[in-house]
Amino acid sequence: MFLLDTEELTKELKTEGLALWEYALNQETERSGRSREELREQMAQSLAVMERSASTARKEPVQSVSGLTGGNAYRYDQYRREGKSLLGDAASLAVGMALSCSEINASMQCIVACPTAGSCGIVPAVLLSCAESRGLDRQCLVNALFTASAVGIIVGSRATVSGAEGGCQAECGAAAAMGAAAVTEMLGGTPEMAFHAAAMALKNVLGLTCDPVAGLVEIPCIKRNASGAMNALLSADLALAGVKSYIPFDEVVDAMYAIGKAMPQSVRETSKGGLAVTPTGIRMKKETRGGEEK
Ligand code: SF4
């Protein structure tokens, strides 16, 4: 049984001398009956999809199927390559990668839902950009994806990763928590530090609504992936510096779920509130879909 109490889990990992990624891999080996090699190979295949989706829309402009959005990953990457970004190399690369994955999703090409399609850019962006800036190999990235999966399992089991159930805090918040923990462990942090990073990332977006314009996973979703990547990197950076979350990760997850349940339905993926019903949001919906209901 996967331990969902993070204090208990951290204690067990300390006693066993295991990293969080090893625990997740062991658990999955036990649950699925598949070998560690098979599971690592499958994760490596997901990594390859992540790498493709994180680069394609940076190399050439990609438009969404609806025609509503597109081209921003390419635009931002040009700006970054010209050395104009206000952010450092790893962070600006992560922004471009997050935008790229999300634009690839909106163009209906292949992505890895991690944990969802709407939040698919955050985990690849932070892992790939950090691995590139630190010269880490694919094995480290595969391990880090198992760390991310452990955090995703805890959020999905204790609460939800669905925007319809918990708002965007449950999607982009969970993705940022997964990415923050994975980067922390990949860069040498302990499981305890990884959970502090995850807790900080999720706390930063508590209450975040799900209000996509025209019911499409584009506005504000694509840019929320970029900001989610920044949130994950910031949280990992804080944790690696020794900063701790006062509230433990599992308690933050429970709070997120309670907040999600208390949110009105209008801001839980119904597109009946928030940005979706601004004058511009309504106009865009009419232009895109002739005003029909989702
Ligand atoms: S706003 Fe809604 S649809 Fe868009 S990424 Fe967030 S949870 Fe997903």
Side-chain angles (χ1 to χ4, degrees):
M1 271 280 281
F2 204 107
L3 286 174
L4 302 177
D5 177 319
T6 49
E7 200 186 328
E8 211 183 308
L9 175 53
T10 310
K11 266 191 207 146
E12 176 160 328
L13 294 177
K14 217 176 203 170
T15 312
E16 302 284 323
L18 288 176
L20 193 46
W21 71 261
E22 289 174 301
Y23 178 79
L25 180 55
N26 291 347
Q27 286 286 321
E28 187 57 13
T29 308
E30 213 170 281
R31 190 198 66 82
S32 66
R34 298 167 68 196
S35 71
R36 292 167 72 87
E37 293 66 35
E38 273 179 287
L39 293 170
R40 291 188 72 88
E41 176 49 32
Q42 189 183 348
M43 202 59 112
Q45 285 171 17
S46 295
L47 176 61
V49 174
M50 289 179 174
E51 286 169 326
R52 247 193 332 273
S53 57
S55 72
T56 305
R58 291 189 291 128
K59 289 190 196 138
E60 55 184 41
V62 170
Q63 288 297 312
S64 65
V65 169
S66 71
L68 203 61
T69 59
N72 283 333
Y74 178 78
R75 188 171 291 117
Y76 184 82
D77 210 58
Q78 294 292 308
Y79 164 83
R80 180 185 74 82
R81 283 173 197 278
E82 287 163 14
K84 293 178 178 169
S85 173
L86 300 170
L87 310 171
D89 288 345
S92 61
L93 181 57
V95 168
M97 286 177 161
L99 292 174
S100 178
C101 293
S102 298
E103 287 185 352
I104 292 298
N105 178 54
S107 71
M108 301 296 157
Q109 297 180 63
C110 194
I111 51 92
V112 177
C114 47
T116 61
S119 59
C120 69
I122 297 170
V123 171
V126 296
L127 290 180
L128 295 171
S129 63
C130 286
E132 189 171 316
S133 73
R134 299 290 175 103
L136 301 176
D137 64 18
R138 292 178 68 77
Q139 289 313 312
C140 292
L141 281 163
V142 168
N143 294 349
L145 287 173
F146 280 105
T147 309
S149 72
V151 171
I153 287 167
I154 293 169
V155 180
S157 306
R158 292 187 77 102
T160 178
V161 294
S162 154
E165 214 185 339
C168 199
Q169 54 166 4
E171 282 200 21
C172 286
M178 291 163 68
V183 165
T184 301
E185 201 167 59
M186 185 173 78
L187 298 187
T190 62
E192 199 181 353
M193 289 160 95
F195 281 127
H196 282 301
M200 288 188 270
L202 189 54
K203 283 194 302 187
N204 288 343
V205 292
L206 285 183
L208 189 64
T209 56
C210 172
D211 45 2
V213 167
L216 299 167
V217 186
E218 298 186 45
I219 304 167
C221 319
I222 295 171
K223 295 189 189 95
R224 276 197 190 157
N225 275 261
S227 79
M230 290 302 91
N231 177 18
L233 286 181
L234 165 68
S235 302
D237 216 25
L238 289 170
L240 285 164
V243 177
K244 295 179 177 175
S245 170
Y246 290 104
I247 314 289
F249 180 59
D250 47 12
E251 292 182 30
V252 178
V253 172
D254 294 348
M256 181 276 282
Y257 196 30
I259 293 165
K261 284 195 277 197
M263 277 181 180
Q265 268 213 324
S266 60
V267 288
R268 284 193 281 137
E269 217 172 301
T270 56
S271 295
K272 290 185 171 152
L275 297 172
V277 297
T278 56
T280 303
I282 291 167
R283 177 176 53 75
M284 290 181 106
K285 180 180 176 182
K286 282 187 185 142
E287 285 168 6
T288 336
R289 292 187 158 190
E292 87 252 30
E293 288 302 312
K294 188 184 172 190

